[in-house]
Amino acid sequence: MIDADLSRRGFLFGLGSLALMACTGRTFASQLGTISSNVPSAFAHPGLMHTQADFVRMAQKHIRSPWVGSWDLLVASPKATLSYSSAPVSTIYRGRDVTQNFSRLYNECAAMYGMALRWKITGDATYAAKATSMLNGWASTLTSIQGRDRALVSGPQGFELANIAEMLRDYSGFTDGNLASVKNMLRTIFYPISHDLLSNHGGRSPLQINANWYLFNMAAIMAIGILCDDRVLFDEAVGYFKTGNGNGCVMRAAYYMHPGYLCQWQESGRDQPHTMDGIAAMAVVCEMAWHQGVDLYGYDNNRFLAGTEYSAKANVIASGTTYYTVPYVPYQNGVYTWNTFSILKQGDATPCWALIYNHYVNRKGLAAPYSTKKALAIQPEGGDWDFIGYGTLAYTLDAIPTGAAPSGLSGYISAGAVVLSWWGGVYAIDYTVKRSAQAGGPYTTVASGITDLLTYTDTPPAPGTWYYIVTANTPHGESAPSNETAVLTGTHLHTHLPFNNTIGTSAADASSNGHAGTLNGGATWVAGKQGNALSLNGSNGYVALPNQLMDDVADFTVSVWVFWNASRNSERVFDFGAGTDRYLMLTPCASSGVTCFSMTITGVSGERSINGNAALPIGTWVHVAVTLSGSVGTLYVNGLAVGSNTDMFLAPFRIWDSNQNWIGRSQYSSDPYFNGKIDDFRIYHGALSVDDVASLANAP
């Protein structure tokens, strides 16, 4: 087990109780470019979990409902009192390999935060003085954090301590020297552990450490960066959120997007408290970044909201004692295999929901029905030695006067039909889907009265490109339309490499879509099945295709002629992906001894595969094709189906940001290069029929 037992989690701080290319399933496919563009050069202070405007609002509203509920819990807390006894130690231990004392620090963090918050709201400086004395004590005493699970101190408590110092930095009794000492403690004791987790993953595979570990340490790095005015640390956390190779990356933490923008969380098959820990930690990362002008809440078309909606729905009572149900696909990462949604501690009340609900609903005007239900179900949010959030007090905003128009509309093809999803507005009554054969309309209504989920599956009258918008029915009439999304239906060439070149290192794309290949190493031109072909030497020859080659592909067909010179396991006819954790590939002979096509987004243990009935023969031209229609995948050899799998829930677009798209080379550096010839390589949008595949195999 990588993760510690966090059933008594003492580290949540300050939390509250596409225009997409046609046939992708991505939600505004991640724009992974500049990490922190349009960010002011100087950090705003206070600017971690609370701004000065937040403190003013709390002071004004803490005696009014619903804010007063959290305030009463804060005042009643035995920790947020002047009589609390502080006892700093030089070393904090966490992990089964040591005698643990980490509860000492997180209890004192809860106390310091509570007293700092009482000072900010009431102006009673005795609370600031007490919190300052305690913080100074830790800064002058603590020298190290030890134990197997020390990252579960560096992350949550590093984040907490930075927030406490940020709250006290304008207290006259908290001197520049005091602040410098706290910064030094955080930089030299906490940050190195957090940075090492993100960089080295405890010596394990990045995906074998769960999301909550990464996210709390990302929160610590971001908080320390803001407190210390260190742009490098801030950018480290933002960059990991967007492109990190561990489960702190939003694309990995919010693991699988179901229709209607319900995104299955990475730990949903484990238990609900750990799931909520990850969501809580991602919420604080988003909130701190928001206060510094970086919108991670909205990144990749509100992917975090999709994750919160999924998890909130799964943990809210639908009726009686029955929870809402959510869709689920298996999760495997080499250590854990979670094949079903976990009901362990379902209904977990981690106090992070006021923050999430108020951002998306009352800041942005978006509909977040399940996050709203969850926030209201646990209101008022309190804080004890486990969770010291008081979110109803800290994050509740006045209701937004008007909701947003529908937005984020995207569509992809599944089993030949168009699957649409969109975000709604908070005051919408229901939604209407409209379709046109041309960009900009005129549009015809194809569905109306849609309420929940915000998804619709359409079957257009003919193959081609179809254009969609969504409008909302509101108390004030029909809303403005959403963005328009275009979806290509039917079967169409996506890439066609005839390999008929005779010289040079560029393989022309006959589809006119600009997907030319580049020959590398021992890749040459020879006589082929028809005309010329690509010859690969089995040692370093391969063809590289453009980045993000199949980011816009859902249902698909790959068709290729293969001449295999000599049998070696794990060679690749093609392998498209971004490393050994996410790819789609075809091998003429897997370790099982048969032809195999596989896709994964969690490494080899998570592969969804279609196995043939034998390895490809050597010394002869063979036609091979793979099709995917919805969740049904089929493998063909010489026009005949030799294998199928009806549980292929992955699709090329779910691999996201593929930048290693190769013919003849594997994502795994230890696998051999392909030794043989390749001819007439084709990718189609859409799944070709059995007869169409046979026609390709039997063509002259």
Side-chain angles (χ1 to χ4, degrees):
M1 294 286 287
I2 302 297
D3 221 340
D5 179 5
L6 306 183
S7 60
R8 300 287 288 177
R9 310 180 302 287
F11 49 80
L12 186 57
F13 174 93
L15 291 177
S17 296
L18 242 192
L20 186 63
M21 270 302 293
C23 21
T24 83
R26 304 274 317 271
T27 56
F28 281 140
S30 40
Q31 298 87 16
L32 298 176
T34 304
I35 288 177
S36 55
S37 59
N38 302 317
V39 179
S41 58
F43 287 105
H45 297 289
L48 274 71
M49 289 306 295
H50 312 302
T51 66
Q52 186 58 33
D54 293 333
F55 292 127
V56 170
R57 182 186 66 250
M58 287 185 257
Q60 292 173 341
K61 295 181 178 289
H62 72 284
I63 58 174
R64 296 166 50 187
S65 180
W67 298 267
V68 68
S70 270
W71 172 252
D72 289 344
L73 292 171
L74 172 62
V75 172
S77 169
K79 296 184 177 64
T81 62
L82 298 175
S83 61
Y84 189 90
S85 178
S86 179
V89 295
S90 61
T91 304
I92 288 292
Y93 297 95
R94 182 160 191 175
R96 297 187 182 98
D97 59 330
V98 293
T99 301
Q100 302 187 101
N101 66 348
F102 65 95
S103 62
R104 182 186 300 270
L105 179 56
Y106 68 63
N107 276 310
E108 295 212 17
C109 284
M112 287 184 277
Y113 172 75
M115 284 184 273
L117 191 59
R118 292 187 70 168
W119 165 61
K120 282 291 190 180
I121 292 173
T122 66
D124 187 341
T126 57
Y127 289 98
K130 176 70 173 182
T132 296
S133 175
M134 293 175 65
L135 185 56
N136 289 341
W138 280 99
S140 62
T141 304
L142 186 66
T143 60
S144 70
I145 303 168
Q146 301 295 329
R148 172 184 177 274
D149 299 334
R150 58 189 175 275
L152 291 178
V153 175
S154 65
Q157 274 69 70
F159 158 73
E160 292 171 350
L161 289 164
N163 269 269
I164 294 161
E166 181 80 350
M167 294 168 73
L168 293 172
R169 69 188 303 158
D170 62 344
Y171 169 57
S172 60
F174 188 58
T175 67
D176 290 345
N178 297 152
L179 179 58
S181 295
V182 174
K183 289 179 178 180
N184 181 67
M185 172 183 67
L186 292 170
R187 279 188 179 277
T188 60
I189 300 174
F190 289 82
Y191 171 73
I193 300 171
S194 296
H195 174 73
D196 183 69
L197 180 72
L198 269 59
S199 302
N200 300 316
H201 324 288
R204 299 175 175 90
S205 166
L207 297 187
Q208 293 177 1
I209 296 176
N210 289 313
N212 71 83
W213 281 58
Y214 284 109
L215 286 162
F216 274 112
N217 282 278
M218 290 159 59
I221 291 171
M222 180 176 285
I224 295 168
I226 295 170
L227 179 74
C228 298
D229 293 290
D230 190 327
R231 180 67 57 183
V232 172
L233 269 62
F234 180 83
D235 286 351
E236 178 181 356
V238 172
Y240 209 90
F241 180 97
K242 294 181 177 182
T243 63
N245 62 348
N247 286 317
C249 171
V250 67
M251 300 296 292
R252 302 176 190 273
Y255 158 66
Y256 187 92
M257 188 72 73
H258 297 277
Y261 294 155
L262 288 182
C263 199
Q264 181 177 318
W265 198 259
Q266 183 255 332
E267 294 181 82
S268 294
R270 180 188 185 186
D271 60 46
Q272 296 315 298
H274 286 95
T275 294
M276 298 305 181
D277 288 341
I279 287 175
M282 186 170 283
V284 303
V285 170
C286 291
E287 183 72 0
M288 291 188 295
W290 177 265
H291 290 154
Q292 301 301 331
V294 178
D295 185 8
L296 299 182
Y297 281 115
Y299 183 74
D300 195 44
N301 193 19
N302 303 310
R303 192 175 184 93
F304 178 46
L305 176 58
T308 72
E309 282 293 281
Y310 179 94
S311 297
K313 182 175 184 179
N315 286 277
V316 168
I317 296 291
S319 62
T321 59
T322 303
Y323 291 94
Y324 287 102
T325 60
V326 290
Y328 187 86
V329 297
Y331 180 86
Q332 297 169 295
N333 67 1
V335 173
Y336 307 112
T337 297
W338 299 321
N339 289 324
T340 58
F341 179 86
S342 174
I343 61 172
L344 183 61
K345 299 186 179 179
Q346 192 172 17
D348 179 87
T350 298
C352 59
W353 294 98
L355 174 58
I356 293 164
Y357 155 66
N358 277 283
H359 174 80
Y360 286 111
V361 174
N362 290 327
R363 274 183 186 154
K364 304 301 293 182
L366 296 174
Y370 297 105
S371 297
T372 300
K373 288 177 185 290
K374 187 63 179 175
L376 296 179
I378 64 173
Q379 184 175 283
E381 291 184 357
D384 55 23
W385 67 268
D386 260 350
F387 296 106
I388 52 177
Y390 304 106
T392 309
L393 169 66
Y395 306 115
T396 299
L397 304 173
D398 292 327
I400 195 169
T402 57
S407 61
L409 176 65
S410 69
Y412 63 93
I413 298 296
S414 180
V418 178
V419 180
L420 300 168
S421 297
W422 63 93
W423 294 112
V426 62
Y427 297 123
I429 299 167
D430 55 35
Y431 300 88
T432 298
V433 176
K434 302 178 182 182
R435 180 184 66 212
S436 177
Q438 61 188 41
Y443 301 97
T444 299
T445 296
V446 295
S448 59
I450 299 171
T451 55
D452 184 44
L453 297 167
L454 302 190
T455 182
Y456 181 73
T457 300
D458 183 46
T459 303
T465 300
W466 295 92
Y467 300 86
Y468 294 89
I469 61 169
V470 172
T471 61
N473 174 29
T474 78
H476 305 291
E478 187 175 32
S479 73
S482 69
N483 60 294
E484 180 183 77
T485 193
V487 183
L488 180 64
T489 66
T491 54
H492 306 269
L493 266 174
H494 171 279
T495 301
H496 182 199
L497 305 178
F499 292 128
N500 280 332
N501 304 64
T502 58
I503 60 172
T505 59
S506 179
D509 176 18
S511 74
S512 302
N513 290 325
H515 298 155
T518 302
L519 278 64
N520 292 270
T524 58
W525 305 109
V526 296
K529 173 70 175 175
Q530 182 178 19
N532 275 353
L534 171 72
S535 177
L536 302 175
N537 65 356
S539 60
N540 65 352
Y542 69 100
V543 170
L545 297 177
N547 290 352
Q548 290 80 52
L549 177 70
M550 298 184 76
D551 280 13
D552 64 342
V553 177
D555 285 3
F556 74 91
T557 302
V558 175
S559 165
V560 61
W561 283 96
V562 178
F563 189 103
W564 200 19
N565 286 337
S567 177
R568 291 186 299 183
N569 288 355
S570 302
E571 292 187 11
R572 297 291 196 265
V573 176
F574 63 85
D575 195 331
F576 302 154
T580 57
D581 65 317
R582 59 188 199 273
Y583 52 82
L584 59 91
M585 67 85 177
L586 174 68
T587 177
C589 185
S591 58
S592 59
V594 300
T595 307
C596 180
F597 171 82
S598 294
M599 283 190 287
T600 184
I601 55 175
T602 56
V604 64
S605 64
E607 285 185 349
R608 316 307 291 182
S609 300
I610 313 168
N611 292 310
N613 51 18
L616 290 186
I618 62 174
T620 185
W621 282 106
V622 180
H623 184 264
V624 184
V626 181
T627 65
L628 180 71
S629 178
S631 62
V632 179
T634 307
L635 176 64
Y636 297 85
V637 174
N638 287 331
L640 299 176
V642 296
S644 65
N645 186 344
T646 60
D647 190 33
M648 298 290 287
F649 58 80
L650 297 175
F653 72 83
R654 296 188 186 276
I655 290 173
W656 54 274
D657 195 40
S658 60
N659 55 14
Q660 297 180 167
N661 301 312
W662 297 323
I663 295 175
R665 179 180 175 183
S666 171
Q667 304 292 326
Y668 291 87
S669 60
S670 60
D671 287 343
Y673 285 67
F674 183 79
N675 181 6
K677 294 177 283 189
I678 303 290
D679 205 354
D680 197 41
F681 184 90
R682 302 174 182 227
I683 302 171
Y684 289 85
H685 285 292
L688 294 181
S689 68
V690 174
D691 290 341
D692 289 336
V693 172
S695 294
L696 287 173
N698 296 322

